[in-house]
Amino acid sequence: MRDKIKMVSTGLTKEGRKTGTFRTTTKNKRKTTEKLRKKYFDRLAFNTATGKTGMHVIFEEGKI
């Protein structure tokens, strides 16, 4: 059985607040019992190394 899940960004804006970016996907609950963590591109996340927005950050599973 595949359930819909929401992947929420861990990226931060320039002001230090969460970006609020999310993605939706499905996962097999029988085979994957732990929470998913995957790296995706977040266009609102602030990259301190370059001083620009947009970088790859970890997205964690959240409630839909």
Side-chain angles (χ1 to χ4, degrees), residues 20 23 25-26 29 34 37-38 41 45 51-52 57 59 61:
R23 300 171 67 106
T25 186
T26 61
K29 273 197 157 180
E34 66 276 354
R37 291 174 50 97
K38 190 161 175 147
F41 186 79
K52 297 180 181 178
V57 295
F59 278 65
E61 181 179 338

Side-chain angles (χ1 to χ4, degrees), residues 1-47:
M1 174 187 256
R2 298 192 72 80
D3 290 333
K4 285 188 177 181
I5 60 168
K6 182 178 182 180
M7 303 289 287
V8 182
S9 172
T10 59
L12 301 174
T13 62
K14 192 173 185 177
E15 293 80 27
R17 292 179 275 139
K18 290 192 174 192
T19 61
T21 305
F22 69 92
R23 300 171 67 106
T24 57
T25 186
T26 61
K27 83 169 187 178
N28 187 336
K29 273 197 157 180
R30 290 186 186 182
K31 291 189 175 195
T32 313
T33 55
E34 66 276 354
K35 291 196 177 249
L36 287 180
R37 291 174 50 97
K38 190 161 175 147
K39 193 176 252 191
Y40 289 115
F41 186 79
D42 185 355
R43 63 181 186 85
L44 299 176
F46 184 71
N47 189 343

